[in-house]
Amino acid sequence: MNPILSALIRIVLSTLGLAVSFLPRPFELWLGPRLGRLYLVLDPRRRKIAYDNIRRCLPELKEAGWSRLLNENYRHYGILALEILHMLSPLPGHYRRYAQKVSRFEGLENWKRAHDKGKGVLFVSAHLANWELMAAAGALRGIPITMVTRHLKPEWLHKKMEAVRLSVNIRCAYPPRTMPLVLKGLRAGESIGFVLDQYAPPPMGIPVPFFGVKVDTLAAVGSLAQRTGAAIIPARQKRDASGLVHGIVEPELDLGQARSHPAQATEILARKVEDWIRANPSQWLWVHRRFKNVVWPLVSSALSLLLPLLSPAAAASFKGESCASCHAHIRDAAGSKEPKPAEFFGEYEAAIIGGGLSGLSAAYSLKDKKVVVLEKDDEPGGKTRRENFSRWSYASGAVYTSEPEGPILKMFSELGIYPLKFKSPVHIYWENGRLLEEWISEKGFSEVASDDAQRAQLKGLWARLKQIDAEGKLTIPIQESDPQALQEYDSISFWDYLLKNYGRFAAQIGDYYCRDIFGTGAKDYSAFFGLMYMASEIPDSYSWPGGLGEIAQALAKNLGGRIKTGAMVERVIASQDHVRVIFRRGDKRYEIKAQTAILAVPSFITRRITTGLSEKKQKALAAVRYSAYANVAMQFKKPVFEKAFVLWTPKLSFADITFPGGERLEGPPSKQVGQVAQASMPMGSGDGRRWLQSRSDEEIRKLVLADVEKVLPGAAAQIEDLNIIRWGHAMPIMGPGYLSKIQEELRRPEGRLFFAGVDTQGPAIEGAMFSGFQAAEQARRFLSQWKK
Ligand SMILES: Cc1cc2nc3c(=O)[nH]c(=O)nc-3n(C[C@H](O)[C@H](O)[C@H](O)COP(=O)(O)OP(=O)(O)OC[C@H]3O[C@@H](n4cnc5c(N)ncnc54)[C@H](O)[C@@H]3O)c2cc1C
């Protein structure tokens, strides 16, 4: 948030917090409903959400009942808002006194009985009446409670809420450390509070019935109860006619057989919450987007007519980087004790962690050694993995590359593969119905610009890109580049570079390019990477029908049994004499003893699984941020676009659509009928990643279909299959300073450990393969010296 706006909000909220501190409660209960009525009038967007939720969940009330309930519900929001403002009061101890005054706690004996069993308590609550007051009332009666909640923005608000909760003895657990804190609390016999009525997408949530439809609901409580034996206690709130907020703790919930089935437990809990809401509907948060992506029985939008065309499985299955198992075994287990027990798996000269292109290339270079690749997924390939529709294969990630050369060309030749060159035009640009042929060209740049001033900016940029292309100066490997130039281009963002040298329009074009290619804007990338990659679009582009998965498939065939799939590495422990690698395969744990290990996984994984790294290395690994992408793959019944390989589409939900089918490539014409395409949705980082994780396939699909129709009218009706592949950590963000301050350190070997992966090179398959060759070479040198 803009710091000035944040400061202004802080002043306003603190002032209001101070003001409400002096309000007599009867006046507050008079004022609140009036403020709520005002909110009802002033915010039509929220009002519609609340009204639609009420109408769909409680159809039996009919129109008059819906309106009446909406009005009562908004009166409740007014009181709730004033109550919450007390939490922002700057007066020391105010909130504690206030909570004691306006809340009552019932059922302490129920908690005590469950607590005395010694396995911890899981409170399940909902956004009824005032949940903060309920927690405060409990904590003030001596319940040691940790609330599972979100990290608020801006930071000052987060800190303020944390402090005020602590003032009433409530602790909080936030992502990404939620699970370790929750488990620690339960182990100590404490009580953990969950509110279970919010939308929780996969992988944390599962769809369970709620008001007659299936809604994604947090599944953690059921799993935690099963895992730890903690008691589940429903706890609800209601505000009585006099305004007192009652926190009511019910007896421990007996889940019966559902205790060993987390999904069934979640269903029971969701039913409980629904019963509470039905009993007291005016005090629930109907303005919540609780029913995200639910297709209610009545759908009327034009797009919904396309729903039956798509396979039902497409909407239900999750594809891409699924965080659940990584979170459980790596993120939340980081720093915990060494996982035990592990069965001995074998001795190797080199253990390679990660079977993406970097790991596979490293293994290929070390084929003459006793080498093993451990890959957590069922297939190797990482972000180049190829997947299949019924009639076409498609790329789940990477799609095209430049002309192979050097060690990459050598490996391709030995593997017997060679990519096909795209016919011109390769890059068609679409904007509001206008198509520009080959926009990354001198002519294309002059047409993208809408006046002479813009044209002049792009002319300058084009001249620079051409020069880089001709000189080949800013190319991988960077060690061969001019260090002075490196310094110059590394210290500045691509956006600032373009703005300074050419002007705002050139910066906007560079920004769009970066979003498409790197998943995040030109301000996030250094001028070095922006220029180098943009210049790399000038020479020919290459791929295979079905994308770059061909390389991983050929490597996998070549490496055969050296690759162990379904093997998630949990720990890499290096000592003077050897490296121990502990991995999980199915329910079992194994241990490898190796002379060297190559970490060919993204930095955020390396950092968490490797013990004993130097502080410098850990710092560099922790400094790498990632952009996110959704890749929406579509299989069309008949070809819908045959003019170019990439259709660039600024200002839509996706940044481009690529068509890696056989038709647009030189070489033998494809025998396949129809066409496959991928819409690429860059998400940036942070909020973008959260967006990607919180949207259902259904919601993303609707967005994409609407835009596909804009670009290629009639194409949506030709879709016979569609898959959404989510890459939460698609590419490392190589911002200013990355090259000089981070990358060199990422690559530096430590003892028997060697480091590969695109983070150590450049965010493309060449970078991945090159990093594998380089790490393999270092390991080979170590092995030969060590043997002597
Ligand atoms: C949507 C998208 C589009 C792209 N388009 C292009 C393109 O057109 N051209 C291009 O050149 N590049 C493209 N890229 C970038 C390119 O695909 C990647 O940079 C490159 O493939 C990364 O290779 P890698 O081996 O470094 O990492 P990854 O491919 O991420 O491989 C790492 C492997 O390690 C495994 N792993 C992770 N943790 C563990 C663990 N604990 N134990 C065991 N295994 C583990 C993972 O499952 C994965 O297989 C694209 C990327 C994305 C996401």
Side-chain angles (χ1 to χ4, degrees), residues 133-155:
L133 281 174
M134 157 95 179
L140 289 172
R141 295 288 298 274
I143 300 181
I145 191 163
T146 299
M147 258 170 77
V148 173
T149 181
R150 280 181 310 159
H151 195 111
L152 294 171
K153 277 188 182 166
E155 195 57 27

Side-chain angles (χ1 to χ4, degrees), residues 326 330 353-360 374-377 379-385 396-402 517 533 548 567-570 583 600-602 605 609 629-631 680 725 727 729-732 756-759 762-769 771:
C326 260
I330 294 181
I353 324 303
L357 268 195
S358 59
L360 294 176
L374 300 170
E375 165 55 49
K376 72 170 166 52
D377 288 344
E379 275 180 54
K383 288 164 191 131
T384 65
R385 228 177 30 236
S396 63
V399 215
Y400 71 99
T401 184
S402 47
I517 294 292
Y533 277 73
L548 299 174
M568 175 179 282
V569 175
E570 293 180 328
F583 66 98
V601 289
I605 309 262
I609 60 177
Y629 271 99
N631 196 3
S680 166
I725 305 110
W727 294 110
H729 300 84
M731 291 198 203
V758 278
D759 302 17
I765 62 151
E766 291 97 326
M769 290 184 283
S771 75

